[in-house]
Amino acid sequence: MRGRRDDGILPNVERIVPSGAALENISFQDTCVIKKLNNLKLSCSPGPDKIPAVLLIKLKNQLASPLAIMFNLIFKSGNLPDEWKIGIVKPLFKKGSSSDASNYRPISLTCIICKIFESIVKDHILSFLSKFNCISRDQHGFLKGHSTITNLLECFNDWSTSLDQKAGVGVLYMDFAKAFDVVSIPKLLLKLEKFGIGGLVLSCITSFLTGRSQRVKLGSVFSESLHLVSGVPQGSVLGPFLFILYINDLPNVVDVDLQSKLFADDLKLYNKPAYCPDKTRT
């Protein structure tokens, strides 16, 4: 999706981490790279650079050190390679008539080596934010130890408690249309600064989010490239994680009598039971 242009109005966002706390630098070590290579799946499709997962897996011991050196050089430059910012969109047939475009789900393919770079950056950001319990405990998407199961278990516990107290439960389900595609990049970068993310880390994320393009591949034929003006990259590692940081303060604007539960952009709102758990992730 092309997305939409930003309105240029930046919100008034308070600093989330303590004053003086910041994540500005990351060191890419051989051990981290080989750990990520060990976690690669053979089924992972190659991106625009056409480097397959099987090559990286088979030569992981030989490639770990050169990749770490390359990642450090890219990070110190603050700019990601242009090829890392290209997405190839392939239509995946779901069901129904194959002649109906709405029966296809778009899959975005990006460079596997870039995903390894992103994964290491994500780990450092998550570790930094976890020190200050910054991520809302109502969010269950794209976080280790959290899933749709933990989301439903917490909801079921709250609903059961309300029913035990002979109180009715009203639930509102919300799904934001094209949520990943319409994220405002300037607003996201501002929020990242308030999370204490700066220096070269912020420069690399800025490069990662801007100057992106995508094109559709059908068989062996490609469409024309389309420049993206908003959104977080789908088919990436950092994209979904940056999205949950973008909407991290959403539970804070919910009425105090309501409880929220999130899984990425899927939101449930319901009346609280007698107790109200702290919204700070432990």
Side-chain angles (χ1 to χ4, degrees), residues 46-275:
D49 60 5
K50 299 181 181 180
I51 298 177
V54 63
L55 176 66
L56 299 172
I57 293 171
K58 295 292 186 182
L59 298 178
K60 60 186 178 183
N61 294 321
Q62 291 77 18
L63 291 175
S65 182
L67 285 175
I69 294 171
M70 182 179 75
F71 290 163
N72 279 306
L73 291 173
I74 290 172
F75 179 79
K76 290 177 182 177
S77 74
N79 290 291
L80 274 62
D82 290 340
E83 198 167 33
W84 284 11
K85 298 192 280 185
I86 299 173
I88 297 177
V89 180
K90 297 184 68 174
L92 182 65
F93 181 66
K94 296 186 293 184
K95 61 180 179 179
S97 172
S98 59
S99 60
D100 186 351
S102 63
N103 290 329
Y104 291 82
R105 180 165 62 93
I107 302 295
S108 182
L109 304 179
T110 57
C111 298
I112 298 174
I113 292 178
C114 180
K115 290 180 181 178
I116 297 171
F117 179 90
E118 295 172 56
S119 184
I120 296 172
V121 172
K122 175 190 171 183
D123 287 349
H124 280 80
I125 296 175
L126 185 56
S127 176
F128 171 73
L129 296 180
S130 296
K131 294 178 183 177
F132 306 103
N133 295 324
C134 292
I135 302 178
S136 170
R137 73 179 309 275
D138 293 334
Q139 177 61 259
H140 292 258
F142 310 119
L143 294 169
K144 186 177 181 180
H146 295 79
S147 65
T148 54
I149 301 299
T150 58
N151 184 308
L152 290 172
L153 284 174
E154 289 187 10
C155 290
F156 184 77
N157 181 68
D158 288 347
W159 297 343
S160 299
T161 301
S162 292
L163 293 175
D164 289 342
Q165 297 168 353
K166 303 188 184 304
V169 180
V171 186
L172 174 65
Y173 292 85
M174 297 179 64
D175 184 14
F176 299 100
K178 299 178 181 177
F180 282 51
D181 297 323
V182 297
V183 169
S184 163
I185 294 174
K187 292 180 175 67
L188 171 57
L189 294 174
L190 174 63
K191 288 193 171 185
L192 292 179
E193 287 184 48
K194 300 303 181 180
F195 274 111
I197 298 170
L200 288 173
V201 178
L202 187 63
S203 296
C204 284
I205 293 176
T206 302
S207 176
F208 172 74
L209 293 171
T210 55
R212 300 195 69 91
S213 65
Q214 66 182 26
R215 53 181 179 164
V216 177
K217 181 181 181 182
L218 189 59
S220 58
V221 180
F222 287 92
S223 71
E224 293 183 2
S225 293
L226 184 68
H227 177 65
L228 304 178
V229 298
S230 68
V232 292
Q234 299 194 44
S236 66
V237 175
L238 262 180
F241 179 64
L242 293 176
F243 176 81
I244 68 170
L245 296 184
Y246 183 70
I247 64 168
N248 186 66
D249 53 357
L250 178 59
N252 298 333
V253 301
V254 172
D255 189 281
V256 293
D257 294 325
L258 296 176
Q259 179 67 50
S260 59
K261 293 296 175 187
L262 285 155
F263 185 85
D265 61 329
D266 293 324
L267 170 66
K268 287 195 292 286
L269 293 174
Y270 55 88
N271 48 295
K272 292 179 180 178
Y275 72 93

Side-chain angles (χ1 to χ4, degrees), residues 17-31:
V17 299
S19 178
L23 177 65
E24 299 182 341
N25 198 20
I26 291 174
S27 177
F28 296 83
Q29 305 294 331
D30 297 11
T31 52

